[in-house]
Structures are given as structure tokens and as C-alpha cells.
Amino acid sequence: MVLSLQVILSTCYTNGLELTDLYPYGTEHGDTMRTGYNSLPTVPLLAPIDNLLAFGPAGLTATRYSINYDGYLRLHNDGSDSILLNLFYLGDGDFDNTKIYGRTTADPGLMNRAMDQINEAFPYTFCSTSPPTQLIVGTWIDYLKFGSNPGSNFQAIVVTNGSITFGIALYVDVSIASAETTGIESYINSVTTVVDYSLFPFGTTVMGAPSMMLNSNIPGTYIFSLNDIPPPDPCSSVCYSCKPRLFQLACEIRRSNGENVPASCNN
């Protein structure tokens, strides 16, 4: 059946993330915003996402996404099948002050930032011949802020070119000891899977997430694959093949010098 300016991130952080380290969010950046017990509506993606994580015989091609006030981002197909990315799911609590933001974007600077961040943890995932083509940016601010609870702040980024898809989880603050669950699960062919904690290692214990060094050199940052099967390696076989790359550089140098280039430079 067919059915969620370039920044270099090589700096070693000694402290956790701050709100300013998140991908830009807010209505001024094109986000849709909701407060309290109001989720963002289901809206179309910029382009479908194929080859998504599957827990059974059926795959999933996502055409839409939604973001929920209580802590998860959902990727949908045109029917009822979906995949949930639970960054911090808590079914009960006071969400009056919770603010959620969400949008899709093809901003080149943000896509380069995401590409560099993913390539640092998973080398040669994206490159010039297979860059990301869209991001889904979901942000939760003042999550469960009420009374003495100062609230939690976190963000989910889905990075994809349609066939290669990764997620980035960013935790700035976590102000409760445990969540009901975090992880990745699916609802395919009317079957709900159990969360596979090997795909998202926090389980219910997210209190320490902002200070944890996982597969990134930035505390509070976790990068994970959403591919159904391992994608081909387009970078090592295409982008970084020596002869084609040297030829490409030679063409670029001749163009920059105002010289005529052979027709083969246009291939």
C-alpha cells in the first residue's frame, strides 16, 4: 500500500542549546502558530516523501504533516496511515501556556545548515547532487509551563529530498522528570506499532536530554534516520569521485575566469 547564510556546526559546545540555537521559528518566519490545547492543522508537504520508515509489509509515502500541542509531529499519507515522531509526548497536563509553531521551508541557508548537521553524524548522506529539498520545522515553546513548572522548549526538524529523510531533535529545556513516551511509531494498515527505542533513545526519560552528547557534538541534539531502507551513497560515488570532481572544478575555474568552456562542462 502506498500510503512527518550557511551555518557550520563544527564548534564544540560545552553547554547545552539555547533558544537562539534553534532553527528560526515564529510567525515572522512563516510559521503557523497555536497556543493551549490547539494543534496545527494537517497541511500538504512541499513535495511527497517516499521511502519512509516502515514497521510492517507496507511502506509509507507522506503527502501531509501535522504538529500536535502535546509533543509530536505526524507524517500522513492521503489515507489514514501515518508515522509519529514523539519528541516529548505527555497526554495529561496543563497546556494553557504551550505555544507550537510549524512550517515547511525550502530556504537554502536552512537546508545547508541541516545538511551539514546530518552529514557530521552520518557522513555523505547529502551532497550537491542529492541535497535536501524541504524541511519541516516544528517548535514547542513553554511546553507545560504552569505554576512552578518553567516549561520545556524543544524542536523537531524533518530533512528530506523525497527519498532520503532524516530527523533532528533539539532539546533546549526539559522541566519534567519523564514523558509518557518518546520515540517513533507508525499506524499502517490499521495497525499501531510499539515504539522502537533503538530508533530514538530517550524512552520516557528525557530530563537529561539537553545535556546529553549523543551522535552530535552539540548537547541536546539527536539525529536519526527515517528511511525504510538504507539509501544509496550518492556522495562518495558521485560528488567525491576524483575524476568527475576535478573536471567539474576545472569547468568552474574557467567560467570564473571568463573563458569559454567545452560543451562537456554543461553535462
Side-chain angles (χ1 to χ4, degrees), residues 87-263:
L87 262 67
F88 195 154
Y89 178 68
L90 194 73
D92 297 319
D94 192 320
F95 293 94
D96 283 339
N97 297 308
T98 298
K99 296 180 282 290
I100 58 172
Y101 303 84
R103 75 184 185 280
T104 53
T105 180
D107 178 270
L110 295 182
M111 289 193 293
N112 282 336
R113 171 181 172 178
M115 180 170 68
D116 289 341
Q117 198 165 10
I118 291 167
N119 284 344
E120 186 170 325
F122 297 88
Y124 309 132
T125 294
F126 293 107
C127 60
S128 61
T129 60
S130 63
T133 55
Q134 66 176 312
L135 308 182
I136 306 171
V137 183
T139 309
W140 291 259
I141 300 296
D142 294 336
Y143 180 85
L144 290 176
K145 181 178 181 178
F146 183 79
S148 61
N149 188 332
S152 302
N153 302 294
F154 50 98
Q155 191 173 61
I157 314 294
V158 176
V159 186
T160 183
N161 62 12
S163 59
I164 301 173
T165 305
F166 275 70
I168 304 173
L170 303 172
Y171 290 93
V172 176
D173 305 295
V174 173
S175 299
I176 64 171
S178 64
E180 185 173 321
T181 183
T182 67
I184 304 171
E185 59 184 292
S186 70
Y187 179 80
I188 301 175
N189 289 338
S190 301
V191 176
T192 300
T193 63
V194 177
V195 172
D196 184 345
Y197 293 120
S198 68
L199 302 172
F200 201 83
F202 299 103
T204 60
T205 307
V206 291
M207 191 70 178
S211 62
M212 292 175 67
M213 297 292 289
L214 293 159
N215 58 355
S216 167
N217 66 348
I218 305 173
T221 303
Y222 183 64
I223 299 168
F224 51 96
S225 173
L226 289 169
N227 292 306
D228 182 11
I229 56 175
D233 182 357
C235 297
S236 60
S237 61
V238 178
C239 297
Y240 301 110
S241 295
C242 294
K243 186 175 179 180
R245 181 58 178 153
L246 288 173
F247 185 80
Q248 180 187 25
L249 289 171
C251 292
E252 292 172 358
I253 291 170
R254 293 182 68 171
R255 286 194 185 96
S256 66
N257 291 335
E259 302 176 29
N260 294 325
V261 297

Side-chain angles (χ1 to χ4, degrees), residues 12-91:
C12 182
Y13 283 54
T14 56
N15 299 309
L17 296 167
E18 298 181 357
L19 286 176
T20 53
D21 296 317
L22 297 180
Y23 283 65
Y25 64 91
T27 54
E28 67 273 24
H29 295 288
D31 278 332
T32 300
M33 177 194 176
R34 294 289 187 274
T35 59
Y37 295 79
N38 297 294
S39 298
L40 298 185
T42 301
V43 295
L45 296 166
L46 298 179
I49 303 175
D50 204 353
N51 187 34
L52 278 169
L53 191 68
F55 296 84
L60 173 70
T61 295
T63 58
R64 302 171 297 147
Y65 78 98
S66 59
I67 296 174
N68 212 61
Y69 69 87
D70 50 5
Y72 64 80
L73 185 154
R74 185 192 300 265
L75 300 172
H76 308 256
N77 72 340
D78 289 329
S80 60
D81 298 325
S82 64
I83 283 178
L84 294 181
L85 310 183
N86 295 331
L87 262 67
F88 195 154
Y89 178 68
L90 194 73

